[in-house]
Amino acid sequence: MNVYGIKAIYQFEMNRMRRTLLQSVASPVISTSLYFVVFGAAIGSRMAEVDGVGYGAFIIPGLIMLMLLNESISNASFGIYMPKFTGTIYEVLSAPVSPAEIVVGYVGAAATKSVILGLLILVTARIFVPYEIQHPVWMLCFLVLTAVTFSLFGFIIGVWADGFEKLQIIPLMIVTPLAFLGGSFYSISMLPPIWQTITLFNPVVYLISGFRWSFYGVADVHIAISLAMTLVFLFVCLGIVGWIFKTGYRLKP
């Protein structure tokens, strides 16, 4: 394995984050903090508990997951799209690095950024609402696994997109609505039976449910199902990425 090649790609992407701290770090942390102020501190103080957890604390896993999905996709898609846009992707493809090493570099950097943001938001949430983490190891596992999975998904979007507007279509039109409807601000047990069944077709439900279980030990679906669904999506993304490099889809002229 070409460790130096992976390190070069990884450090280049991480340096881009350092150059744009206001946009890459401050903006998502501040915007998520506003959710804690409005829903957690203001509204949450007037709402009953959800599954035995205070509302302000209950929404923390959902808000972190909402940010994690969008930032993972955004970081990875922009990271691979810019070399395509500027034409430097051909230098990467002709360098002595394998497709797996290219993916590890770009996806690893995007996932690292997302995990850092997730931990920062977790610390920031403590300012507004008290919470506990019953299973910290599982929390980190879900955080890293989700970041890697959706960074791979973002990598696929970045390869597919042929314009800046397409980089935003799927995150804005699909992922964000699914996150809002996937139990970020409520438990699906609060829905009518028919809508509970419909909601189970939303893949984001399993991510949020598993992540929330790691905090409070309560979940809308069994933890094993949440983990299995996350792994299925991970392997699907890996299969698509492998097909992209095998066929050269939108990477080679």
Side-chain angles (χ1 to χ4, degrees):
M1 178 173 287
N2 187 346
V3 178
Y4 293 103
I6 296 174
K7 185 178 178 180
I9 296 173
Y10 181 87
Q11 288 184 338
F12 178 82
E13 289 298 304
M14 293 303 295
N15 286 334
R16 182 161 58 83
M17 177 185 178
R18 298 186 188 99
R19 292 193 300 267
T20 58
L21 284 177
L22 287 178
Q23 178 184 354
S24 301
V25 178
S27 179
V29 170
I30 291 174
S31 61
T32 306
S33 298
L34 292 176
Y35 281 109
F36 290 128
V37 172
V38 175
F39 289 94
I43 298 177
S45 61
R46 294 170 173 79
M47 291 188 63
E49 294 182 344
V50 180
D51 293 337
V53 181
Y55 185 73
F58 181 84
I59 65 174
I60 290 175
L63 288 176
I64 294 177
M65 194 60 63
L66 175 64
M67 179 282 307
L68 195 71
L69 301 184
N70 284 306
E71 289 299 317
S72 296
I73 293 174
S74 176
N75 289 329
S77 61
F78 189 80
I80 190 61
Y81 176 78
M82 283 308 296
K84 285 178 52 188
F85 180 74
T86 59
T88 55
I89 187 65
Y90 303 116
E91 298 177 7
V92 177
L93 294 174
S94 61
V97 288
S98 68
E101 292 160 356
I102 294 174
V103 172
V104 170
Y106 281 110
V107 172
T112 300
K113 297 175 192 176
S114 300
V115 170
I116 291 173
L117 283 174
L119 295 176
L120 285 175
I121 291 173
L122 192 61
V123 173
T124 305
R126 179 70 71 175
I127 300 174
F128 303 102
V129 289
Y131 63 87
E132 58 178 304
I133 303 177
Q134 293 187 9
H135 310 283
V137 175
W138 276 107
M139 186 275 292
L140 287 174
C141 287
F142 268 104
L143 192 69
V144 173
L145 187 59
T146 304
V148 171
T149 301
F150 277 81
S151 293
L152 280 168
F153 186 48
F155 187 90
I156 295 169
I157 294 174
V159 172
W160 164 77
D162 54 9
F164 285 100
E165 66 281 357
K166 284 191 175 182
L167 291 177
Q168 302 298 323
I169 289 177
I170 293 181
L172 290 178
M173 302 297 291
I174 298 179
V175 175
T176 298
L178 288 178
F180 274 96
L181 297 173
S184 295
F185 298 99
Y186 58 87
S187 170
I188 66 173
S189 61
M190 301 166 66
L191 301 174
I194 182 63
W195 285 107
Q196 291 184 33
T197 303
I198 294 174
T199 302
L200 291 177
F201 289 95
N202 180 352
V204 179
V205 167
Y206 302 94
L207 302 174
I208 295 175
S209 176
F211 195 53
R212 182 171 285 133
W213 173 86
S214 69
F215 277 74
Y216 311 118
V218 296
D220 291 316
V221 294
H222 195 276
I223 180 63
I225 299 177
S226 296
L227 183 59
M229 291 295 290
T230 306
L231 291 174
V232 166
F233 190 50
L234 171 64
F235 287 115
V236 169
C237 289
L238 284 172
I240 295 174
V241 170
W243 174 82
I244 286 174
F245 280 100
K246 183 177 179 179
T247 61
Y249 174 76
R250 295 202 171 182
L251 287 178
K252 299 178 182 178

